[in-house]
Amino acid sequence: MTAEIDSHARRVGLFLNLAGERRGEFQASCGELFNRLLLTETFDGATAMLARQPVDLLVLDLDGFDDSGDLSAASALVRARQGAPVLVLCPYGNTAWLPELMAAGPLTYRISPLLSEDLQQSVSQALTAPLDAAAAQQQALLDKEKELRDLLAIQRGVQRALTGMDELGTMAARICTALCSFPGVRHAALFHMQERGNLVLAAQEARNHLDMARLLQRSERLLQSPLSDTFPPLMAVGSGDMVLLDAPEKAGDPELAMQLHDKGVRMVLALPLRSEAGGPVQGAVSLMFDRHIAFSREQFSGLGSLAQFISFGLAMSELKHQNDALAGKLTQITTVDALTGAVNRRHGEAELDNEIRRARRYGMPLGVIAFDIDNFRSVNDIYGYPCGDQALRTVAQTVLSRLRTSDQLVRMRGEEFLIIATHTAAIDALKLAEKLRETIATTELPGCEMVTISLGVAQAGPEEGASTLLERLDAALHRAKRAGRNCVELAMAS
Ligand SMILES: Nc1nc2c(ncn2[C@@H]2O[C@H](COP(=O)(O)OP(=O)(O)OP(=O)(O)O)[C@@H](O)[C@H]2O)c(=O)[nH]1
């Protein structure tokens, strides 16, 4: 027996677990740390033993417990200790129970499975009474203060990352950078649930050269990955609970453990993201640490609120994305002519006013072309209205395809259109009009004979407003009609 073990003589311990085998194992590895070790398989048994005699350390081994009834019974035991030492051995996969148990009273925890010597060391530490209680208390306060400062700093970082309501990818990247400022974090990643249950890696920030996409061998459809039952963030999304892995090998995948060890990862914490309690899981945040940290209740709760905060930011960003898409659709509906895809008259007239003002301000020429399909009435009469519609659509699309992106095609009424050609003088507008006339005259129309167009061309005068410009254009167009159609006429000077 070592000196350390001697110093724990006369200590009474109580170990609780359902399985006889585990009780035997505990006795074999830690029995000698106690003067007397009580073993029980039930919560009632533990309660009765605690009531009968003083117990220096209660070891709650939660392996094999799996329902919420067990969790509330375990919480009641922790509460009954009233601050006396409790060591919780929590199986990997149920680490979400820790914050809840911590709410019942102070405790230390280890995640199982544990090596025998690690278990001995944890029990020994839990049994060691501080020699100088005042100094220990002072140290605990300092530790707590540091914990809270770290949490506050990371919360501020995340808050900054969330302001601005960026597109999701940018926001996720900024969140990961902020999370990496938490002490010990060497890698942060954000997973996001897209439509139809497609979990993707939205962003990551590495301070240890770890590439999450490479580790998982994919960056989307992650829930279908073979690691979905072993890797903390994927488990967190699957279960909706926090998952803490305090040693890579405990995940039970030697290849994964080796890769994490290679990058200096000692601990992984994954927090599910959901914007409302009980709501659907939107993704997860994963934090990889280069050290082992025994989280306090405040840290668990701080990290939990941080996750909620992030979820909220993501939900807002998604909402903004949807709103932008809707607003875009609305603009499309209110400004575009549904039949031809040209700008509608109301929006076209406003655009003409804007372009006239802009041309005047910058001293740039503005060319305008009005055109009208010749004898369109006969197309409708001979081939029917639906065919006429199709012809209108084809003419508009053909013209649009010949214009610059800065030009605009406006459907003014029926088969009359206007082209607003910025930075274009009369001479170039004439050339454009001629090119369009020729193109339409040689364009096949589905289901009916070919059509021609007549065009009027003008350049806005230096002081001219939209109404006189349109009148001049109209006159030019009428001259083109009178001249026999399928031709271009330049408007009289303003
Ligand atoms: N199919 C179809 N026809 C339209 C639409 N809007 C206007 N029209 C038709 O376009 C024709 C315009 O006729 P008019 O104004 O007489 O002109 P036109 O027959 O083209 O003769 P000119 O302009 O003098 O060459 C009418 O028959 C309208 O019914 C539309 O949205 N779809």
Side-chain angles (χ1 to χ4, degrees):
M1 204 181 261
T2 64
E4 191 191 0
I5 290 169
D6 275 346
S7 75
H8 297 134
R10 297 178 311 281
R11 294 291 170 97
V12 179
L14 172 55
F15 179 85
L16 165 66
N17 185 267
L18 292 172
E21 201 181 315
R22 275 186 90 90
R23 295 196 297 275
E25 277 167 17
F26 186 81
Q27 183 149 41
S29 85
C30 297
E32 60 185 9
L33 293 172
F34 298 95
N35 174 251
R36 187 161 175 229
L37 177 60
L38 306 166
L39 302 167
T40 180
E41 59 184 294
T42 62
F43 288 107
D44 287 346
T47 311
M49 285 171 180
L50 286 173
R52 266 203 302 275
Q53 68 224 284
V55 165
D56 298 290
L57 177 66
L58 167 67
V59 182
L60 267 177
D61 179 0
L62 300 176
D63 191 88
F65 294 112
D66 61 7
D67 67 31
S68 52
D70 289 335
L71 184 58
S72 51
S75 298
L77 271 185
V78 173
R79 203 169 301 113
R81 294 291 285 157
Q82 295 183 340
V86 177
L87 171 64
V88 172
L89 305 178
C90 185
Y92 174 57
N94 287 103
T95 44
W97 287 4
L98 289 172
E100 231 177 301
L101 285 175
M102 284 173 165
L107 55 87
T108 52
Y109 68 86
R110 293 306 304 269
I111 295 169
S112 54
L114 268 177
L115 291 176
S116 177
E117 52 270 32
D118 285 344
L119 180 60
Q120 277 178 0
Q121 197 191 23
S122 308
V123 170
S124 179
Q125 272 168 4
L127 269 170
T128 310
L131 295 176
D132 179 348
Q137 206 171 11
Q138 178 68 19
Q139 187 55 46
L141 274 176
L142 287 174
D143 290 350
K144 197 117 289 175
E145 186 187 326
K146 183 175 177 323
E147 271 173 22
L148 294 178
R149 271 186 203 286
D150 290 343
L151 268 173
L152 204 63
I154 194 173
Q155 234 156 29
R156 289 210 179 108
V158 168
Q159 194 174 1
R160 271 195 300 275
L162 294 179
T163 49
M165 304 278 288
D166 277 303
E167 170 271 328
L168 195 131
T170 321
M171 187 184 273
R174 290 214 311 246
I175 290 171
C176 290
T177 310
L179 291 173
C180 272
S181 64
F182 197 73
V185 173
R186 307 297 293 156
H187 185 281
L190 200 148
F191 297 84
H192 183 237
M193 186 70 91
Q194 295 188 334
E195 284 156 16
R196 289 189 289 277
N198 179 18
L199 184 71
V200 301
L201 174 64
Q204 60 176 321
E205 170 87 13
R207 305 279 155 93
N208 59 355
H209 304 292
L210 184 144
D211 180 1
M212 183 67 85
R214 208 153 150 202
L215 182 79
L216 300 173
Q217 294 180 4
R218 54 174 92 191
S219 55
E220 53 177 66
R221 309 235 158 267
L222 294 172
L223 288 180
Q224 279 87 54
S225 148
L227 292 175
S228 63
D229 292 333
T230 40
F231 193 50
L234 307 187
M235 289 165 71
V237 173
S239 66
D241 287 326
M242 176 203 92
V243 179
L244 179 61
L245 176 66
D246 70 345
E249 55 281 0
K250 289 184 189 173
D253 184 315
E255 173 69 27
L256 173 71
M258 200 180 69
Q259 294 195 52
L260 292 177
H261 272 300
D262 257 12
K263 302 290 182 195
V265 176
R266 297 277 310 278
M267 195 173 89
V268 184
L269 174 69
L271 303 160
L273 297 176
R274 38 157 70 106
S275 51
E276 50 182 304
V281 179
Q282 294 170 292
V285 162
S286 141
L287 299 173
M288 292 186 180
F289 296 80
D290 63 4
R291 63 196 75 162
H292 183 265
I293 299 172
F295 286 122
S296 66
R297 187 186 161 202
E298 287 80 2
Q299 278 173 314
F300 274 129
S301 117
L303 289 164
S305 343
L306 197 67
Q308 182 140 30
F309 201 35
I310 293 172
S311 317
F312 192 62
L314 293 186
M316 294 301 278
S317 152
E318 252 171 70
L319 203 65
K320 179 176 183 287
H321 183 71
Q322 283 168 11
N323 280 350
D324 287 351
L326 275 179
K329 242 185 212 155
L330 195 66
T331 311
Q332 162 100 359
I333 288 168
T334 53
T335 60
V336 173
D337 171 56
L339 176 69
T340 60
V343 169
N344 65 22
R345 180 175 184 155
R346 192 165 50 116
H347 187 60
E349 284 180 343
E351 285 295 286
L352 181 62
D353 282 337
N354 288 340
E355 292 305 337
I356 287 175
R357 265 201 301 276
R358 203 168 296 153
R360 203 176 291 160
R361 189 174 327 128
Y362 298 110
M364 300 300 291
L366 177 69
V368 193
I369 303 170
F371 73 86
D372 177 306
I373 303 176
D374 297 328
N375 303 315
F376 193 57
R377 185 180 296 276
S378 64
V379 173
N380 278 330
D381 291 348
I382 300 169
Y383 301 97
Y385 217 75
C387 219
D389 277 358
Q390 180 56 45
L392 263 175
R393 208 176 292 130
T394 308
V395 167
Q397 290 302 314
T398 309
V399 169
L400 270 173
S401 70
R402 299 295 191 283
L403 298 181
R404 292 187 195 144
T405 48
S406 53
D407 296 340
Q408 300 198 61
L409 175 68
V410 185
R411 186 179 182 197
M412 294 300 275
R413 69 182 75 82
E415 23 68 270
E416 285 178 40
F417 294 85
L418 186 77
I419 296 167
I420 307 171
T422 54
H423 299 196
T424 306
I427 178 86
D428 294 314
L430 261 180
K431 284 188 201 153
L432 171 62
E434 185 52 39
K435 184 176 85 177
L436 295 174
R437 185 201 62 73
E438 205 180 312
T439 305
I440 296 301
T442 52
T443 298
E444 301 258 358
L445 297 181
C448 66
E449 65 196 29
M450 281 146 82
V451 294
T452 57
I453 54 174
S454 298
L455 306 95
V457 175
Q459 178 179 338
E463 300 298 325
E464 192 176 27
S467 58
T468 55
L469 178 61
L470 290 174
E471 276 167 26
R472 286 199 298 128
L473 270 177
D474 210 33
L477 182 56
H478 273 101
R479 270 190 284 121
K481 292 276 180 189
R482 282 199 303 277
R485 299 184 171 83
N486 189 22
C487 62
V488 180
E489 279 287 329
L490 185 62
M492 303 292 182
S494 57

